[in-house]
Every structure is written in C-alpha cells, then in structure tokens.
Amino acid sequence: MNKVGLRQNGRFYYGWVLMIVGFLMMSIAYTGCISITSVFVIPVTEAFGVDRGSFLLYQTILLLVSIGVTAYYGKRMAKGNVKRIVVISALVAAAGYVIFAMAKSLYMFYFGAIFLGVGFSNCTVLPLSIILNNWFGGKVRGTAMGFCFVGSGVGGLVILPLLNSVISSSGWRTGYLVLAVLFGVVAAMALIFLVKTPEQRGFVRMGETLAETQKESTGEAKGMVVREALKTPMFWMIAASAILTTFGSTAILFNSAPFFIDCGFSVEKAALIASFNLGMIAIGKILIGFLCDKFGTKFGSIFSAVIFGLQFVCLALMTINPVVFVFGAVICYGIGGGGITVCPPLLVNALFGEKDYGNIAAGMNMATNFGGTFGGTLAAVIFDVTGSYVAFWCMAAGSMAIVVILRLICFRLRKKYTY
C-alpha cells in the first residue's frame, strides 16, 4: 500500500495509534531506565557515602543484562507474542524499582538492575522498531519511528523535573516508587493497545516503496538473513558506530545534572538544563526521522553523528564559559542525539533489507546497549580520579568522528551487494 494517510479503506489506520502508544511507552520506559539517572546520582551517593562510579555501576549491570535479554528475545519477538513479552517485562522492571526504593546498600541496586535490564530491553526500542517496521513502509517508516522514539526526550522533559521535585520534597526512595508505578502504566498500555501486524486488524502496511510492493507481489522479502549479515564488514562497522554513539550518550544521561552543578549551576537549574536536553532530543528525533525519509538513511545518520560530536566539543568548553556553551551543548545534543535510537533500526533496513529484520535489529540493539554499559560509568570514574569530565568529553568527540567514517564506509560497501 503506497498511499500514506490517516485512513485506509475508510478506517483510521491503527498504525498511527501504535506510533502514539510507542511514544508514550518510550516516554516512560526509556526515560525511567536511562534518562532520569542523573537526578539520583548526588542524593544516593551522599546517602550511602560512595563515589559516583560505584553507584553508576548499576547502569553497567542493567545494560549488560539487556544485551543478554535482547539476544534471547530478539527472535522470539520477531516470530512470537510481542505483547505478552512487553507486559511481563514492564512488571519485572516495576519490581526492580521497588527493590531500589528498599535498598539498604549498593548491592541491592546491583540486584535490582537485573530486573531493570529486562524492562529496558523488552519495553523500548526493540519491540517498537519491530512493530513499526511491520506497520509502515519505507516512505514513512523513518518519520513514524522518529515520532515514536521522541518519547524518550519528551518523557525526560516532563518526568525529570517532576522526579527532582519529588526527591527534594519526599526523598529519593519515593522517587523510585514513582518509577515503579509508571512501569505498571507501561504494562497496562501494552496489554490494551499493542498489535504486532496490520493483518491482525484487517489492514496492510502503509507507505511501501516500489521495492517493498514488488516484494509483496512475489511473496519474498529482500535482504540478508542474520548469518549472512554477521559475515559482512558492514554489520560490524555499523555495530561499532552504535557502540561509540551510546558510549558518549549514556555519559550525558547519567552525569548531566552533576556535571552542570560542577559548572556552577544550582541544583534546580542543573535539573532544568538536563530536562531541556531531553526535550530538545524530541525535536531532533522527528528531524532525523524526516531527513532519513526525505534524503535517505545515509544522509540522516551521518548528519546526526556530526552534530552529536559537536555537542561534546561544547561540553568540553563549558568549563571556560558555562553560560555560553551550555546553549550549544543542549542544541547539538537535541539534534544529533535524535539519531541514537532512530538511526540503528533504519540502518538495518537500508543495509540488510527486510528478510531477517527482527534478528538483525536485535543484534544492533545489543550493540547499542553494549556501548551504554561502560560510557556513563567510565565518565563518572574519570571524574572521581581527575575531578573533571573534560577528558571524557574529548574522548567522546573523537569517537563520533570515527562513527562518521564507519557509516560512510558502510554505504560504500553496500553497493557490492544486490538484493
């Protein structure tokens, strides 16, 4: 179905409902696992008398668990019951935050992180990219995913300052209980609204390209299976680009509020700037999704990597003039950071086709999560040792230059394959 619109065969197209539901799930689940971390760093480390690196080790555990969960559930989501997996995983994550709220030592955070790793993997990018790829073709897929994944930015813009207020008035334990309740909301939304394929509601996929339409007529999807993809340098280069991108992005998410405080901003202003960071990314995700649809995934993915790298340059320069460079950091984070979740699933489709999309996308999701396992914690450790984050920001800026080079090479290599 090539035509793109709100209705199909006289009925409102349910794919748009799923896009909005995905937006809400990302607003809560992605924000709840990753984006709100920084507001808990100072109150929790002060309560337990530990350094920032020791506390943020729980995020390393969370993301390592999510890699294993993705490896196990990637194929099961592609071929099985996505709704059931998401609902159960959201409830598991809620239990993880209850454990956080009851924590008597850091070891309970490390234990609870196992539960959160399940929720993060199975309630955010992986299931939503599979569902939206089923419902939307290449003419509109990037825009749909971009809007859906905007939720992690908008959610941070709303939830982060509210959590900061809850923590200030009622303590960090209450803040974690609020997050547990929100994951219960995710479970309810998934149970009520998620539908894996358009055929289950009597629709066909909207916005298909000519190649996708021809695939429908022949009954055979074009592209590689995961075994073939793993043998190509493209897969490993794109996986490396995803790792390097999240290497830097998690450092910002986990350390932004304390970094801004270290730069001289008040606790309230630091939380506000961190929330603006996440709000700007909402604009960035829509923009990058649109650019990928309009000018191709190659242009959109490289453009986002360049702008994201400039953000680390601004962060490194903030120690010179915080008031000036904070604006550049927020703007570049918003625009460039839009590609963190939007680009990898689109890169999978552009480079490897749809033949085994779910399994290859799961592999790319594992790479994305792997980058996050050590970026945020390493930044905190560098701060603990040097008293500054500047060395890490310079390292992250260099990593984004490598990302640009890797993506350019991959699209050149793609010309060698015919499918």
Side-chain angles (χ1 to χ4, degrees), residues 239-326:
S241 78
I243 290 170
L244 291 172
T245 302
T246 51
F247 169 77
S249 68
T250 52
I252 303 165
L253 291 172
F254 300 168
N255 297 278
S256 57
F259 171 68
F260 295 137
I261 292 170
D262 294 339
C263 287
F265 295 99
S266 67
V267 173
E268 292 75 17
K269 285 185 178 179
L272 188 62
I273 295 169
S275 68
F276 280 154
N277 247 354
L278 297 171
M280 278 297 299
I281 210 170
I283 298 172
K285 290 186 179 186
I286 294 175
L287 174 63
I288 297 303
F290 171 78
L291 291 176
C292 287
D293 283 342
K294 188 72 174 177
F295 302 107
T297 301
K298 176 182 177 180
F299 176 85
S301 64
I302 292 170
F303 174 81
S304 67
V306 170
I307 302 300
F308 198 53
L310 290 176
Q311 175 247 179
F312 292 111
V313 175
C314 291
L315 289 174
L317 294 173
M318 274 186 64
T319 54
I320 300 174
N321 193 323
V323 176
V324 172
F325 286 105
V326 71

Side-chain angles (χ1 to χ4, degrees), residues 31-63:
T31 301
C33 284
I34 302 295
S35 305
I36 49 75
T37 305
S38 66
V39 296
F40 288 96
V41 172
I42 290 179
V44 175
T45 54
E46 289 181 350
F48 287 102
V50 297
D51 58 42
R52 297 177 186 181
S54 297
F55 171 62
L56 288 177
L57 181 59
Y58 93 82
Q59 278 288 352
T60 298
I61 297 170
L62 185 161
L63 291 167

Side-chain angles (χ1 to χ4, degrees), residues 1 83 110 171 204 262 314 333 364:
M1 175 67 69
K83 176 186 291 191
Y110 301 157
V204 295
D262 294 339
C314 291
Y333 177 78
M364 205 55 59

